[in-house]
Amino acid sequence: MRVKTFDGGRTIVQELAYANNQTFQWYSGYQTLNIAPSQTFTAAEFPIRQSAIAVSISGLEELQNSGEEAIINLLESRIENAEDQYGPLN
């Protein structure tokens, strides 16, 4: 998964390649090159969204996972599960 950072703003703008550059050519010596501009990109704009997900344990689970390390392991696995299912790119 590729993740790009975001510096802020009102929207997220992502450039999209939609065509190949048609100016490619093999050449030799002083042959004239095609330097015409090619329209190959457009952009998509997305509003910024927020999300939330509850990560919790019951009183019984807390008793069954006695000890600080056991509770931390339990919560870490719940958090990882939440991120895998509903991460920012899903």
Side-chain angles (χ1 to χ4, degrees):
M1 171 174 29
R2 285 193 254 170
V3 176
K4 288 188 171 185
T5 58
F6 175 61
D7 291 332
R10 293 187 173 272
T11 60
I12 298 169
V13 178
Q14 177 66 50
E15 289 206 4
L16 303 171
Y18 69 90
N20 293 325
N21 187 322
Q22 299 298 316
T23 63
F24 174 83
Q25 67 187 75
W26 297 103
Y27 75 97
S28 64
Y30 290 100
Q31 183 178 347
T32 302
L33 299 176
N34 180 354
I35 60 167
S38 293
Q39 296 296 321
T40 58
F41 285 89
T42 189
E45 189 171 2
F46 304 95
I48 296 172
R49 303 281 188 205
Q50 297 184 91
S51 63
I53 187 168
V55 176
S56 61
I57 60 173
S58 69
L60 178 60
E61 289 170 323
E62 188 173 359
L63 289 172
Q64 292 170 335
N65 292 276
S66 62
E68 185 176 333
E69 197 64 35
I71 294 292
I72 290 171
N73 289 338
L74 178 61
L75 285 172
E76 282 178 349
S77 64
R78 299 272 171 100
I79 291 168
E80 184 177 319
N81 176 266
E83 290 173 342
D84 287 346
Q85 290 182 42
Y86 302 102
L89 300 179
N90 290 336

Coordinates of all heavy atoms in Angstrom, one line a residue:
M1 N 0.9 -1.2 0.0 CA 0.0 0.0 0.0 C 0.9 1.2 0.0 O 1.8 1.3 0.8 CB -0.9 0.0 1.2 CG -1.6 1.2 1.5 SD -2.9 1.3 2.8 CE -2.4 0.2 4.0
R2 N 0.6 2.1 -0.9 CA 1.4 3.4 -0.9 C 0.6 4.5 -0.2 O -0.6 4.7 -0.3 CB 1.5 3.9 -2.4 CG 2.6 3.1 -3.2 CD 2.9 3.8 -4.4 NE 2.3 3.1 -5.5 CZ 2.2 3.5 -6.7 NH1 2.6 4.7 -7.0 NH2 1.6 2.8 -7.7
V3 N 1.4 5.1 0.7 CA 0.8 6.2 1.5 C 1.5 7.5 1.2 O 2.7 7.5 1.2 CB 0.9 5.9 3.0 CG1 0.4 7.0 3.9 CG2 0.2 4.6 3.4
K4 N 0.7 8.5 0.9 CA 1.3 9.9 0.7 C 0.9 10.8 1.9 O -0.2 10.7 2.4 CB 0.8 10.5 -0.6 CG 1.4 9.8 -1.8 CD 1.0 10.6 -3.0 CE 1.7 10.1 -4.3 NZ 1.4 11.0 -5.4
T5 N 1.8 11.6 2.3 CA 1.5 12.5 3.4 C 0.7 13.7 2.8 O 0.7 13.9 1.6 CB 2.8 13.0 4.0 OG1 3.6 13.7 3.0 CG2 3.6 11.9 4.7
F6 N 0.0 14.4 3.7 CA -0.9 15.5 3.4 C -0.5 16.7 4.2 O -0.5 16.5 5.4 CB -2.3 15.0 3.6 CG -3.3 16.1 3.3 CD1 -3.5 16.7 2.1 CD2 -4.2 16.5 4.3 CE1 -4.4 17.7 1.9 CE2 -5.1 17.5 4.2 CZ -5.2 18.1 2.9
D7 N -0.2 17.8 3.6 CA 0.2 19.0 4.4 C -0.9 19.8 4.9 O -0.7 20.8 5.6 CB 1.1 19.9 3.5 CG 2.5 19.2 3.2 OD1 2.9 18.4 4.1 OD2 3.0 19.5 2.2
G8 N -2.2 19.5 4.5 CA -3.3 20.3 5.0 C -4.0 21.0 3.9 O -3.5 21.0 2.7
G9 N -5.0 21.7 4.2 CA -5.8 22.5 3.2 C -7.3 22.1 3.3 O -7.7 21.3 4.2
R10 N -8.1 22.6 2.4 CA -9.5 22.3 2.4 C -9.9 21.1 1.7 O -10.9 20.5 2.0 CB -10.3 23.5 1.9 CG -10.2 24.8 2.7 CD -11.1 25.8 2.2 NE -11.1 27.0 3.1 CZ -11.9 27.1 4.2 NH1 -12.8 26.1 4.4 NH2 -11.9 28.1 4.9
T11 N -9.1 20.7 0.7 CA -9.4 19.5 -0.1 C -8.0 18.7 -0.4 O -7.0 19.3 -0.2 CB -10.0 19.8 -1.4 OG1 -9.2 20.6 -2.2 CG2 -11.4 20.5 -1.3
I12 N -8.2 17.5 -0.8 CA -7.0 16.7 -1.3 C -7.1 16.6 -2.8 O -8.2 16.2 -3.3 CB -7.1 15.3 -0.6 CG1 -7.0 15.4 0.9 CG2 -5.9 14.4 -1.2 CD1 -7.3 14.1 1.6
V13 N -6.1 17.0 -3.5 CA -6.0 17.0 -4.9 C -5.0 15.9 -5.3 O -3.9 15.9 -4.9 CB -5.7 18.4 -5.5 CG1 -5.6 18.3 -7.0 CG2 -6.6 19.4 -5.1
Q14 N -5.5 15.0 -6.2 CA -4.7 13.9 -6.6 C -4.6 13.9 -8.2 O -5.6 13.9 -8.8 CB -5.2 12.6 -6.2 CG -4.5 11.4 -6.7 CD -3.1 11.3 -6.1 OE1 -2.9 11.3 -4.9 NE2 -2.1 11.1 -7.0
E15 N -3.4 14.1 -8.7 CA -3.2 14.0 -10.2 C -3.4 12.6 -10.7 O -3.0 11.7 -10.0 CB -1.8 14.6 -10.6 CG -1.7 16.0 -10.4 CD -0.7 16.7 -11.3 OE1 -0.1 15.9 -12.1 OE2 -0.4 17.8 -11.2
L16 N -4.1 12.5 -11.8 CA -4.4 11.3 -12.4 C -3.9 11.2 -13.9 O -4.2 12.1 -14.7 CB -5.9 11.0 -12.5 CG -6.6 11.1 -11.1 CD1 -8.2 11.0 -11.3 CD2 -6.2 9.9 -10.2
A17 N -3.1 10.2 -14.2 CA -2.6 10.0 -15.6 C -3.7 9.3 -16.4 O -4.2 8.3 -15.9 CB -1.3 9.2 -15.6
Y18 N -4.2 9.9 -17.5 CA -5.2 9.3 -18.2 C -4.9 9.0 -19.7 O -5.6 8.4 -20.4 CB -6.5 10.1 -18.2 CG -6.4 11.4 -19.0 CD1 -6.7 11.5 -20.3 CD2 -5.9 12.6 -18.4 CE1 -6.6 12.7 -21.1 CE2 -5.8 13.8 -19.1 CZ -6.2 13.8 -20.4 OH -6.0 15.0 -21.1
A19 N -3.7 9.3 -20.1 CA -3.2 9.1 -21.5 C -1.7 8.9 -21.6 O -1.0 9.4 -20.6 CB -3.7 10.2 -22.4
N20 N -1.3 8.3 -22.6 CA 0.2 8.2 -22.8 C 0.7 9.5 -23.6 O 0.0 10.0 -24.4 CB 0.5 7.0 -23.7 CG 0.2 5.7 -22.9 OD1 0.4 5.6 -21.7 ND2 -0.2 4.7 -23.6
N21 N 1.9 9.8 -23.3 CA 2.5 10.9 -24.0 C 2.9 10.4 -25.4 O 3.6 9.5 -25.6 CB 3.8 11.4 -23.3 CG 4.4 12.6 -23.9 OD1 4.5 12.8 -25.1 ND2 4.9 13.5 -23.0
Q22 N 2.3 11.1 -26.4 CA 2.4 10.6 -27.8 C 3.6 11.2 -28.5 O 3.8 11.0 -29.8 CB 1.1 11.0 -28.6 CG -0.1 10.3 -28.0 CD -0.1 8.8 -28.1 OE1 0.3 8.2 -29.1 NE2 -0.5 8.1 -27.0
T23 N 4.5 11.9 -27.8 CA 5.7 12.5 -28.5 C 6.9 11.6 -28.5 O 8.0 12.0 -29.0 CB 6.0 13.8 -27.9 OG1 6.4 13.6 -26.5 CG2 4.8 14.8 -27.9
F24 N 6.9 10.4 -28.0 CA 8.0 9.5 -28.0 C 8.4 9.2 -29.4 O 7.6 9.0 -30.3 CB 7.7 8.2 -27.3 CG 8.8 7.2 -27.4 CD1 9.9 7.3 -26.5 CD2 8.9 6.3 -28.4 CE1 11.0 6.4 -26.6 CE2 9.9 5.4 -28.5 CZ 11.0 5.5 -27.6
Q25 N 9.8 9.3 -29.6 CA 10.3 8.9 -30.9 C 11.7 8.5 -30.8 O 12.4 9.0 -29.9 CB 10.1 10.1 -31.9 CG 11.0 11.3 -31.6 CD 10.7 12.5 -32.5 OE1 9.7 13.1 -32.3 NE2 11.6 12.7 -33.5
W26 N 12.2 7.6 -31.7 CA 13.6 7.3 -31.9 C 14.1 8.4 -32.8 O 13.5 8.8 -33.7 CB 13.8 5.9 -32.5 CG 13.2 4.8 -31.6 CD1 12.1 4.1 -31.8 CD2 13.8 4.3 -30.5 NE1 11.9 3.2 -30.9 CE2 13.0 3.2 -30.0 CE3 15.0 4.5 -29.8 CZ2 13.3 2.5 -28.9 CZ3 15.3 3.7 -28.7 CH2 14.5 2.7 -28.2
Y27 N 15.4 8.7 -32.6 CA 16.0 9.8 -33.5 C 17.5 9.5 -33.6 O 18.1 8.8 -32.8 CB 15.7 11.2 -32.9 CG 16.5 11.6 -31.7 CD1 17.7 12.3 -31.9 CD2 16.2 11.2 -30.5 CE1 18.5 12.7 -30.8 CE2 16.9 11.5 -29.4 CZ 18.1 12.3 -29.5 OH 18.8 12.6 -28.5
S28 N 18.1 10.2 -34.5 CA 19.5 10.2 -34.7 C 19.9 11.6 -35.2 O 19.2 12.3 -35.9 CB 19.9 9.1 -35.6 OG 19.5 9.3 -36.9
G29 N 21.2 11.9 -34.9 CA 21.8 13.2 -35.3 C 20.9 14.4 -35.0 O 20.5 14.6 -33.9
Y30 N 20.7 15.2 -36.1 CA 20.0 16.4 -36.0 C 18.5 16.4 -36.4 O 17.9 17.4 -36.8 CB 20.7 17.5 -36.8 CG 22.0 17.9 -36.2 CD1 23.2 17.4 -36.7 CD2 22.1 18.8 -35.1 CE1 24.4 17.8 -36.1 CE2 23.3 19.1 -34.5 CZ 24.5 18.6 -35.0 OH 25.7 19.0 -34.5
Q31 N 18.0 15.2 -36.3 CA 16.6 15.0 -36.7 C 15.7 15.9 -35.8 O 15.9 16.1 -34.7 CB 16.2 13.5 -36.5 CG 14.8 13.2 -36.9 CD 14.5 11.7 -36.8 OE1 15.4 10.9 -36.6 NE2 13.2 11.3 -36.9
T32 N 14.6 16.4 -36.4 CA 13.7 17.3 -35.7 C 12.9 16.5 -34.7 O 12.4 15.4 -35.0 CB 12.7 18.0 -36.6 OG1 13.4 18.7 -37.6 CG2 11.7 18.9 -35.9
L33 N 12.8 17.0 -33.4 CA 12.1 16.3 -32.4 C 10.7 16.9 -32.2 O 10.6 18.1 -32.3 CB 12.9 16.4 -31.1 CG 14.3 15.7 -31.1 CD1 15.0 15.9 -29.7 CD2 14.2 14.2 -31.4
N34 N 9.8 16.1 -31.8 CA 8.4 16.6 -31.5 C 8.4 17.1 -30.1 O 8.5 16.3 -29.2 CB 7.4 15.4 -31.7 CG 6.0 15.8 -31.5 OD1 5.7 17.0 -31.0 ND2 5.1 14.9 -31.7
I35 N 8.2 18.4 -29.9 CA 8.2 18.9 -28.6 C 6.8 19.5 -28.3 O 6.6 20.3 -27.3 CB 9.2 20.0 -28.4 CG1 9.0 21.2 -29.4 CG2 10.6 19.5 -28.5 CD1 9.8 22.4 -29.1
A36 N 5.8 19.0 -29.0 CA 4.4 19.5 -28.7 C 3.9 19.0 -27.3 O 4.2 17.9 -26.9 CB 3.4 18.9 -29.8
P37 N 3.2 19.9 -26.7 CA 2.7 19.5 -25.3 C 1.7 18.4 -25.4 O 1.0 18.3 -26.4 CB 2.1 20.8 -24.8 CG 1.9 21.7 -25.9 CD 2.8 21.3 -27.0
S38 N 1.7 17.5 -24.4 CA 0.8 16.4 -24.4 C -0.1 16.5 -23.2 O 0.4 16.7 -22.1 CB 1.5 15.1 -24.3 OG 2.2 14.8 -25.5
Q39 N -1.4 16.4 -23.4 CA -2.4 16.4 -22.3 C -2.5 15.0 -21.8 O -3.2 14.1 -22.4 CB -3.7 16.9 -22.8 CG -3.7 18.4 -23.2 CD -3.4 19.3 -22.1 OE1 -3.8 19.1 -20.9 NE2 -2.6 20.3 -22.4
T40 N -1.8 14.7 -20.7 CA -1.8 13.3 -20.2 C -2.3 13.2 -18.7 O -2.5 12.1 -18.2 CB -0.4 12.8 -20.2 OG1 0.5 13.6 -19.4 CG2 0.1 12.7 -21.6
F41 N -2.5 14.4 -18.1 CA -3.0 14.4 -16.7 C -4.3 15.2 -16.5 O -4.5 16.1 -17.2 CB -1.9 15.0 -15.8 CG -0.8 14.1 -15.5 CD1 0.3 14.1 -16.4 CD2 -0.8 13.2 -14.4 CE1 1.4 13.2 -16.1 CE2 0.3 12.4 -14.2 CZ 1.4 12.4 -15.0
T42 N -5.0 14.8 -15.5 CA -6.1 15.5 -15.0 C -6.0 15.4 -13.5 O -5.0 14.9 -13.0 CB -7.5 15.0 -15.5 OG1 -8.5 16.0 -15.1 CG2 -7.8 13.7 -15.0
A43 N -7.0 15.9 -12.7 CA -6.9 15.8 -11.3 C -8.2 15.5 -10.7 O -9.3 15.8 -11.2 CB -6.4 17.2 -10.7
A44 N -8.2 14.8 -9.6 CA -9.4 14.5 -8.8 C -9.3 15.2 -7.5 O -8.2 15.4 -7.0 CB -9.5 13.0 -8.5
E45 N -10.4 15.7 -7.0 CA -10.4 16.5 -5.8 C -11.3 15.9 -4.8 O -12.5 15.5 -5.1 CB -10.8 17.9 -6.1 CG -10.6 18.9 -4.9 CD -10.9 20.3 -5.3 OE1 -11.2 20.6 -6.5 OE2 -10.7 21.2 -4.4
F46 N -10.8 15.7 -3.6 CA -11.6 15.0 -2.5 C -11.7 15.9 -1.3 O -10.8 16.5 -0.9 CB -10.9 13.7 -2.1 CG -10.7 12.7 -3.3 CD1 -9.5 12.7 -3.9 CD2 -11.7 11.9 -3.7 CE1 -9.2 11.9 -5.0 CE2 -11.4 11.0 -4.7 CZ -10.2 11.0 -5.4
P47 N -12.9 15.9 -0.7 CA -13.0 16.6 0.6 C -12.3 15.9 1.7 O -12.2 14.7 1.7 CB -14.5 16.7 0.8 CG -15.1 15.5 0.1 CD -14.2 15.3 -1.1
I48 N -11.9 16.6 2.7 CA -11.2 16.0 3.8 C -12.3 15.4 4.7 O -13.3 16.0 5.0 CB -10.4 17.0 4.6 CG1 -9.3 17.5 3.7 CG2 -9.8 16.4 5.9 CD1 -8.5 18.7 4.3
R49 N -12.1 14.2 5.1 CA -13.1 13.5 6.0 C -12.4 13.0 7.3 O -11.2 12.9 7.4 CB -13.6 12.2 5.3 CG -14.2 12.4 4.0 CD -15.6 12.9 4.1 NE -16.2 13.0 2.8 CZ -17.2 13.8 2.6 NH1 -17.7 14.6 3.5 NH2 -17.8 13.8 1.4
Q50 N -13.2 12.8 8.3 CA -12.7 12.3 9.6 C -13.5 11.0 9.8 O -14.5 10.8 9.3 CB -13.0 13.3 10.7 CG -12.3 14.6 10.6 CD -12.6 15.5 11.8 OE1 -11.9 15.5 12.7 NE2 -13.7 16.3 11.7
S51 N -12.8 10.2 10.6 CA -13.5 8.9 11.0 C -13.1 8.6 12.4 O -12.2 9.1 13.0 CB -13.1 7.8 10.0 OG -11.7 7.6 10.2
A52 N -13.9 7.7 13.0 CA -13.7 7.2 14.3 C -14.1 5.7 14.4 O -15.0 5.3 13.7 CB -14.4 8.0 15.3
I53 N -13.5 5.0 15.3 CA -13.9 3.6 15.6 C -13.6 3.3 17.0 O -12.6 3.7 17.6 CB -13.2 2.6 14.6 CG1 -13.8 1.2 14.8 CG2 -11.7 2.6 14.9 CD1 -13.3 0.2 13.7
A54 N -14.6 2.6 17.7 CA -14.4 2.3 19.1 C -13.5 1.1 19.3 O -13.7 0.1 18.5 CB -15.8 2.1 19.7
V55 N -12.6 1.2 20.2 CA -11.8 0.0 20.5 C -11.9 -0.1 22.0 O -11.6 0.8 22.8 CB -10.3 0.2 20.2 CG1 -9.4 -0.9 20.7 CG2 -10.1 0.4 18.7
S56 N -12.5 -1.2 22.5 CA -12.8 -1.4 23.9 C -12.6 -2.8 24.3 O -12.5 -3.7 23.5 CB -14.3 -0.9 24.2 OG -15.2 -1.7 23.4
I57 N -12.6 -3.0 25.7 CA -12.6 -4.3 26.2 C -13.6 -4.3 27.4 O -13.9 -3.3 28.0 CB -11.2 -4.7 26.8 CG1 -10.7 -3.7 27.9 CG2 -10.2 -4.8 25.7 CD1 -9.4 -4.1 28.6
S58 N -14.1 -5.5 27.6 CA -15.2 -5.6 28.7 C -14.5 -5.9 30.0 O -13.3 -6.2 30.1 CB -16.1 -6.8 28.4 OG -15.4 -8.1 28.5
G59 N -15.2 -5.8 31.1 CA -14.7 -6.0 32.4 C -14.2 -7.5 32.5 O -13.2 -7.7 33.1
L60 N -14.9 -8.4 31.9 CA -14.5 -9.8 31.9 C -13.2 -10.0 31.2 O -12.3 -10.7 31.6 CB -15.6 -10.7 31.3 CG -15.3 -12.2 31.2 CD1 -15.0 -12.8 32.6 CD2 -16.4 -12.9 30.5
E61 N -13.1 -9.4 30.0 CA -11.8 -9.5 29.2 C -10.7 -8.9 30.0 O -9.5 -9.4 30.0 CB -12.0 -8.8 27.9 CG -12.9 -9.5 26.9 CD -13.2 -8.7 25.7 OE1 -13.3 -7.4 25.8 OE2 -13.3 -9.3 24.6
E62 N -10.9 -7.8 30.8 CA -9.9 -7.2 31.6 C -9.4 -8.2 32.7 O -8.2 -8.3 32.9 CB -10.4 -5.9 32.2 CG -9.3 -5.1 32.9 CD -9.8 -3.8 33.4 OE1 -11.0 -3.4 33.2 OE2 -9.0 -3.1 34.0
L63 N -10.4 -8.9 33.3 CA -10.0 -9.9 34.3 C -9.3 -11.1 33.7 O -8.4 -11.6 34.3 CB -11.3 -10.4 35.0 CG -12.0 -9.4 36.0 CD1 -13.3 -10.0 36.4 CD2 -11.1 -9.1 37.1
Q64 N -9.7 -11.5 32.5 CA -9.1 -12.7 31.9 C -7.7 -12.4 31.3 O -6.9 -13.3 31.1 CB -10.0 -13.1 30.7 CG -11.3 -13.8 31.1 CD -12.2 -14.0 30.0 OE1 -12.2 -13.3 28.9 NE2 -13.2 -14.9 30.2
N65 N -7.4 -11.1 31.2 CA -6.1 -10.7 30.7 C -5.4 -9.9 31.8 O -5.0 -8.7 31.6 CB -6.2 -9.8 29.4 CG -6.7 -10.6 28.3 OD1 -5.9 -11.3 27.6 ND2 -8.0 -10.7 28.0
S66 N -5.2 -10.5 33.0 CA -4.7 -9.8 34.1 C -3.2 -9.5 33.8 O -2.5 -10.2 33.2 CB -4.8 -10.6 35.4 OG -4.1 -11.9 35.2
G67 N -2.8 -8.4 34.3 CA -1.4 -7.9 34.1 C -1.4 -6.9 33.0 O -2.1 -6.9 32.0
E68 N -0.5 -5.9 33.2 CA -0.4 -4.7 32.3 C 0.0 -5.2 30.9 O -0.6 -4.7 29.9 CB 0.6 -3.7 32.9 CG 0.7 -2.5 32.1 CD 1.6 -1.4 32.7 OE1 1.8 -1.5 33.9 OE2 2.1 -0.6 31.9
E69 N 0.9 -6.1 30.8 CA 1.4 -6.5 29.5 C 0.3 -7.2 28.7 O 0.1 -7.0 27.5 CB 2.6 -7.4 29.6 CG 3.4 -7.6 28.3 CD 4.0 -6.3 27.8 OE1 4.4 -5.5 28.6 OE2 4.0 -6.2 26.6
A70 N -0.5 -8.0 29.4 CA -1.6 -8.7 28.7 C -2.7 -7.8 28.2 O -3.2 -7.9 27.1 CB -2.3 -9.8 29.7
I71 N -3.0 -6.8 29.0 CA -4.0 -5.7 28.6 C -3.5 -5.0 27.4 O -4.2 -4.7 26.4 CB -4.3 -4.8 29.7 CG1 -5.1 -5.5 30.9 CG2 -5.1 -3.6 29.3 CD1 -6.5 -6.0 30.5
I72 N -2.2 -4.6 27.4 CA -1.6 -3.9 26.3 C -1.6 -4.7 25.0 O -2.0 -4.2 23.9 CB -0.2 -3.4 26.6 CG1 -0.2 -2.3 27.7 CG2 0.6 -3.0 25.4 CD1 1.2 -2.0 28.3
N73 N -1.3 -6.0 25.1 CA -1.3 -6.9 24.0 C -2.7 -7.0 23.4 O -2.9 -7.0 22.2 CB -0.8 -8.3 24.3 CG 0.7 -8.3 24.6 OD1 1.4 -7.4 24.1 ND2 1.2 -9.3 25.3
L74 N -3.7 -7.1 24.3 CA -5.1 -7.2 23.9 C -5.5 -6.0 23.1 O -6.1 -6.0 22.0 CB -6.0 -7.5 25.1 CG -7.5 -7.6 24.8 CD1 -7.8 -8.7 23.8 CD2 -8.3 -7.7 26.1
L75 N -5.3 -4.8 23.7 CA -5.6 -3.6 23.1 C -4.9 -3.3 21.7 O -5.5 -2.8 20.8 CB -5.4 -2.4 24.0 CG -6.4 -2.3 25.1 CD1 -6.0 -1.2 26.1 CD2 -7.8 -1.9 24.6
E76 N -3.6 -3.7 21.7 CA -2.9 -3.5 20.5 C -3.5 -4.4 19.3 O -3.6 -3.9 18.2 CB -1.4 -3.9 20.7 CG -0.6 -2.8 21.4 CD 0.9 -3.2 21.6 OE1 1.2 -4.4 21.4 OE2 1.7 -2.4 22.0
S77 N -3.9 -5.6 19.7 CA -4.5 -6.4 18.6 C -5.8 -5.9 18.2 O -6.2 -5.9 17.0 CB -4.6 -7.9 19.1 OG -5.5 -8.0 20.2
R78 N -6.6 -5.3 19.1 CA -7.9 -4.7 18.7 C -7.7 -3.4 17.8 O -8.4 -3.2 16.9 CB -8.7 -4.3 20.0 CG -9.0 -5.4 20.9 CD -10.4 -6.1 20.5 NE -10.6 -7.3 21.2 CZ -11.4 -7.4 22.3 NH1 -12.0 -6.4 22.8 NH2 -11.5 -8.6 22.9
I79 N -6.7 -2.6 18.2 CA -6.4 -1.4 17.4 C -5.9 -1.8 16.0 O -6.3 -1.2 15.0 CB -5.3 -0.6 18.1 CG1 -5.9 0.0 19.4 CG2 -4.7 0.5 17.2 CD1 -4.9 0.7 20.4
E80 N -5.0 -2.8 15.9 CA -4.5 -3.3 14.6 C -5.7 -3.8 13.8 O -5.7 -3.5 12.6 CB -3.5 -4.4 14.8 CG -2.8 -4.9 13.6 CD -1.8 -5.9 13.8 OE1 -1.0 -5.8 14.8 OE2 -1.7 -6.9 13.0
N81 N -6.6 -4.5 14.4 CA -7.8 -5.0 13.6 C -8.6 -3.8 13.1 O -9.0 -3.8 11.9 CB -8.6 -5.9 14.6 CG -9.9 -6.3 13.9 OD1 -10.9 -5.7 14.1 ND2 -9.8 -7.4 13.1
A82 N -8.8 -2.8 13.9 CA -9.6 -1.6 13.5 C -8.9 -0.9 12.3 O -9.5 -0.5 11.4 CB -9.8 -0.7 14.7
E83 N -7.6 -0.8 12.4 CA -6.8 -0.1 11.4 C -6.8 -0.9 10.1 O -6.9 -0.3 9.0 CB -5.4 0.2 11.8 CG -5.3 1.2 12.9 CD -3.9 1.4 13.5 OE1 -3.0 0.5 13.3 OE2 -3.6 2.4 14.1
D84 N -6.7 -2.2 10.2 CA -6.7 -3.1 9.0 C -8.1 -3.0 8.3 O -8.1 -3.0 7.1 CB -6.5 -4.5 9.3 CG -5.0 -4.8 9.7 OD1 -4.2 -3.9 9.5 OD2 -4.7 -5.8 10.3
Q85 N -9.2 -2.9 9.0 CA -10.5 -2.9 8.4 C -10.9 -1.6 7.9 O -11.6 -1.4 6.9 CB -11.5 -3.4 9.4 CG -11.4 -4.9 9.7 CD -12.4 -5.4 10.7 OE1 -13.6 -5.0 10.5 NE2 -12.0 -6.2 11.6
Y86 N -10.6 -0.5 8.6 CA -11.1 0.8 8.3 C -10.0 1.9 8.3 O -10.2 3.0 8.7 CB -12.2 1.2 9.4 CG -13.3 0.2 9.4 CD1 -13.4 -0.8 10.4 CD2 -14.3 0.2 8.5 CE1 -14.4 -1.7 10.5 CE2 -15.3 -0.7 8.5 CZ -15.4 -1.7 9.5 OH -16.4 -2.6 9.5
G87 N -8.9 1.5 7.8 CA -7.8 2.4 7.7 C -8.1 3.6 6.7 O -9.1 3.6 6.0
P88 N -7.2 4.6 6.7 CA -7.5 5.8 5.9 C -7.6 5.6 4.4 O -8.2 6.3 3.7 CB -6.3 6.7 6.2 CG -5.2 5.8 6.7 CD -5.9 4.6 7.4
L89 N -7.1 4.4 3.9 CA -7.1 4.2 2.4 C -8.1 3.2 2.0 O -8.3 2.8 0.9 CB -5.7 3.8 1.9 CG -4.6 4.8 2.2 CD1 -3.3 4.3 1.7 CD2 -4.9 6.1 1.5
N90 N -8.9 2.7 3.0 CA -9.9 1.7 2.6 C -11.2 2.3 2.2 O -11.5 3.4 2.6 CB -10.2 0.7 3.8 CG -9.0 -0.2 4.0 OD1 -8.2 -0.4 3.1 ND2 -8.9 -0.7 5.2

